[in-house]
């Protein structure tokens, strides 16, 4: 299955029409990550309990915190190696011919994260626009408790280049040794350092532009129409030939910006997996505060 086989976004009403498809795999990618109350207030938990309380019928919980992450990494949600990723997906019944729809129960950033992970290994997936909130708003059925196990699939994956960048790559961009435009997807308050950060230091990587991911969604949590998306993204980011290097706190909000960029046809986008959880933890790496909007 190619990464361009289906439209990126799917509505609840369209998803209902696929519910009888035996190849459909609906994944709830929710993670619990509360807003920090004070600096370094990092509280994270699996979204499994919320999934047990209510989910789309047939949906399985995709655990981005542990099962779908690299356990040896120094930061949360680290991209797993291809073999680890393939095994975790296979246990969810995801195979080469699966029709994958991803959602989460909050702002859609977790769904975007899993979508970008899948895209980077050549697997097409769709994101439920507006997530579980849109499903409930449409008055569609919900289910509680566990789902029946699905047969384990066979899946082999290979990571494609051009989707991710590591700390050394970001350092090279910052030093002018590698082309790239740094873009922080956090809120303006977190970017400027005026709000508590759950990470080791406040602020952003020097030279970054600020493009809050939530600015790309409407009040219902759905992605803005293409024209409005382009207005929010701006000509500078859409037309620059340099790669866009997206980051946030943990590579989650940045994935929503990557999805939005893809919706409007902007490629050459890289996501910094470690983001500020890795960067801010190293006191030798520079950070700054103050506003520098995109």
């Amino acid at each position: 299955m190619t990464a361009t086989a289906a439209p990126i976004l799917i509505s609840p009403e369209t998803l209902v029409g696929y519910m009888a498809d035996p190849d459909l795999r609906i994944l709830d990618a929710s993670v619990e990550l509360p807003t920090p109350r004070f600096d370094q207030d990092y509280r994270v938990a699996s979204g499994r309990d919320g999934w047990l309380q209510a989910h789309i019928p047939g949906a399985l919980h995709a655990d981005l915190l542990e099962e779908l992450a690299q356990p040896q990494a120094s930061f949360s949600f680290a991209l797993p190696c291809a073999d680890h990723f393939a095994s975790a997906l296979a246990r969810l019944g995801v195979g080469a011919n699966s029709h994958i729809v991803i959602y989460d129960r909050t702002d859609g950033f977790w769904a975007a994260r899993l979508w970008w992970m899948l895209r980077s290994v050549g697997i097409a997936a769709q994101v439920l626009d507006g997530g579980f909130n849109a499903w409930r708003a449409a008055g569609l059925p919900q289910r509680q408790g566990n789902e029946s196990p699905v047969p384990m699939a066979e899946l082999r994956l290979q990571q494609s280049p051009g989707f991710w960048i590591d700390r050394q790559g970001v350092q090279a961009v910052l030093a002018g040794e590698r082309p790239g435009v740094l873009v922080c997807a956090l809120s303006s308050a977190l970017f400027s350092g005026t709000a508590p950060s759950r990470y080791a230091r406040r602020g952003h990587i020097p030279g970054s532009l600020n493009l809050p991911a939530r600015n790309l969604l409407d009040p219902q949590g759905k992605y803005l129409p293409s024209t409005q998306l382009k207005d929010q993204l701006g000509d500078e980011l859409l037309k620059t030939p340099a790669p866009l290097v997206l980051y946030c706190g943990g590579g989650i909000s940045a994935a929503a910006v990557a999805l939005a960029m893809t919706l409007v046809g902007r490629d050459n986008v890289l996501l910094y997996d470690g983001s500020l959880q890795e960067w801010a933890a190293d006191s030798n790496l520079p950070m700054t505060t103050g506003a520098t909007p995109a």
Side-chain angles (χ1 to χ4, degrees), residues 28 49-56 103 105 132 142-144:
D28 181 331
D49 287 347
W51 168 80
L52 285 170
Q53 293 172 13
H55 57 262
I56 295 173
Y103 74 91
R105 294 189 305 278
F132 193 48
Q142 303 175 42
R143 189 175 289 169
Q144 292 182 320

Side-chain angles (χ1 to χ4, degrees), residues 161-211:
F163 289 89
W164 305 93
I165 188 169
D166 60 13
R167 180 183 63 187
Q168 289 74 25
V170 175
Q171 287 177 276
V173 171
L174 193 58
E177 299 165 354
R178 174 173 174 171
V181 177
L182 293 167
V183 181
C184 178
L186 294 173
S187 70
S188 58
L190 288 170
F191 179 85
S192 65
T194 58
S197 169
R198 61 174 60 91
Y199 307 110
R201 290 178 286 164
R202 292 191 185 193
H204 57 272
I205 300 172
S208 301
L209 301 176
N210 185 208
L211 180 62

